[in-house]
Each structure stands twice: as structure tokens, then as C-alpha cells.
Amino acid sequence: MDLGIQGKRALVCASSKGLGKAIAKALAKEGVRLFLCARDAKTLIDAADEVGSVATEPVTAMTCDLSTEEGRELLISQVRDTLGEVDILVHNVGGPKPSKVETTTLQDWQTGFDQVFQSVTQLNEAFVPDMKKNRWGRILCVTSLSAFEPINDLAVSNGLRPAITAMLKTLSDEVA
């Protein structure tokens, strides 16, 4: 399939397994230059090799923790050094730890917010201006069914995933 994105540049977060890796492979087959990231170095290296085996453009991988501001800043810096700009931004991050509302602490909420919400907003802040300047860009956000229907014992995810969806809809209305 030709999606018309050959030669574009993409950052795919949490791309060492699951949906993130599948998205990276699909983009690689389309001729997209890729920057992959994940927390686990070994899994990420294996995924980068697998994605690279179907790629026609370079694949770069970096271990980082998107739940910290420092991790996000380092990622942004490395992506800028490697790709320059990002045309396709794929948000994907593991969910906050399971909990019930009654047993979720303020620190659990803050940790989840940093991990799930702030990773999206900080990467958008870094790369959406390039998309606007170039009058072309795509943002894909892998969230959870909890964005639409709460899932038992996932209090933090149930609270944050709909917020991400609403924020990205607002962003799309503002920049589309």
C-alpha cells in the first residue's frame, strides 16, 4: 500500500513491542525515516533490528523514559539531531499502574500525569511547530479503550486517557 509518506520523518514512542512496533514496521515499509524509543534497551534493540529489516530508510533507536521531563528533553534533543524535524509523531506510552480510586494517592496521580499526559504535551510542543511551518504533519496517539469506557482498577488511566483524547481533538481543531 502506498500511503504517500515515503521520505517523511517519524518519531514512534514505545516502539519496542506491541502496537508501537507494529506501527514502526508499517511506517518502515512505506519508506519513512524512523526514530524509535522505549525504556528497555534490549527489547528496543531487537525491535529496531526487526523494523530495520523491512526499512528502506534509516532507523534510529534510543532508550528513554517518557515519564520524566529529563527523558523527554533528551529524546527531543536526539530526534532533532538525527531527523531535524518530525512529520509524523506517534504517541504511545504504557499505562499507569493499576489502582482503585480510593487507594490512589496524589503521587500516583502525579506520576500517571507525567507519564501519560505530559509526554504527549511536551512532544507536541516540540514538534507541532515544524508541522505547522511545513503545512504537513500527522499525529497518532495510541491510548486505551479507557478513553471511552472506564476499565476496572485503572483509576489513573481512566482519568487521563479521555483528557488526552480531548486535548488532541482541541489541537486538531486549532491547527488543521
Side-chain angles (χ1 to χ4, degrees):
M1 176 183 299
D2 181 4
L3 298 176
I5 56 175
Q6 183 174 0
K8 297 293 186 187
R9 299 153 296 186
L11 168 59
V12 183
C13 298
S15 49
S16 64
K17 56 187 175 183
L19 290 173
K21 183 169 78 171
I23 292 167
K25 285 176 76 173
L27 291 172
K29 290 177 184 176
E30 290 290 323
V32 174
R33 189 169 170 205
L34 293 170
F35 196 107
L36 311 179
C37 70
R39 287 179 293 191
D40 182 80
K42 167 130 181 43
T43 309
L44 180 60
I45 290 167
D46 292 344
D49 289 342
E50 186 178 336
V51 171
S53 73
V54 299
T56 59
E57 293 289 329
V59 176
T60 303
M62 178 187 144
T63 305
C64 73
D65 184 354
L66 291 174
S67 69
T68 69
E69 185 174 359
E70 298 79 22
R72 295 185 298 266
E73 287 174 355
L74 182 58
L75 175 64
I76 291 164
S77 174
Q78 292 299 310
V79 169
R80 287 261 182 240
D81 289 347
T82 304
L83 299 180
E85 297 177 341
V86 169
D87 304 299
I88 302 167
L89 175 56
V90 181
H91 294 295
N92 186 27
V93 65
K97 71 179 186 177
S99 67
K100 295 184 179 302
V101 172
E102 291 180 299
T103 58
T104 301
T105 67
L106 288 177
Q107 185 57 54
D108 293 335
W109 286 104
Q110 185 62 55
T111 299
F113 182 76
D114 290 340
Q115 178 182 4
V116 176
F117 196 87
Q118 289 292 67
S119 63
V120 172
T121 57
Q122 191 170 357
L123 295 177
N124 283 351
E125 184 179 294
F127 299 117
V128 168
D130 298 333
M131 295 176 188
K132 287 176 64 176
K133 178 185 71 160
N134 296 329
R135 302 185 55 80
W136 197 98
R138 303 293 183 265
I139 297 173
L140 172 68
C141 188
V142 179
T143 62
S144 168
L145 180 62
S146 69
F148 302 100
E149 180 71 31
I151 299 171
N152 289 338
D153 301 324
L154 294 181
V156 177
S157 188
N158 291 339
L160 294 174
R161 302 293 184 171
I164 292 167
T165 301
M167 181 269 296
L168 288 171
K169 172 62 176 137
T170 302
L171 175 65
S172 73
D173 289 344
E174 292 173 358
V175 301

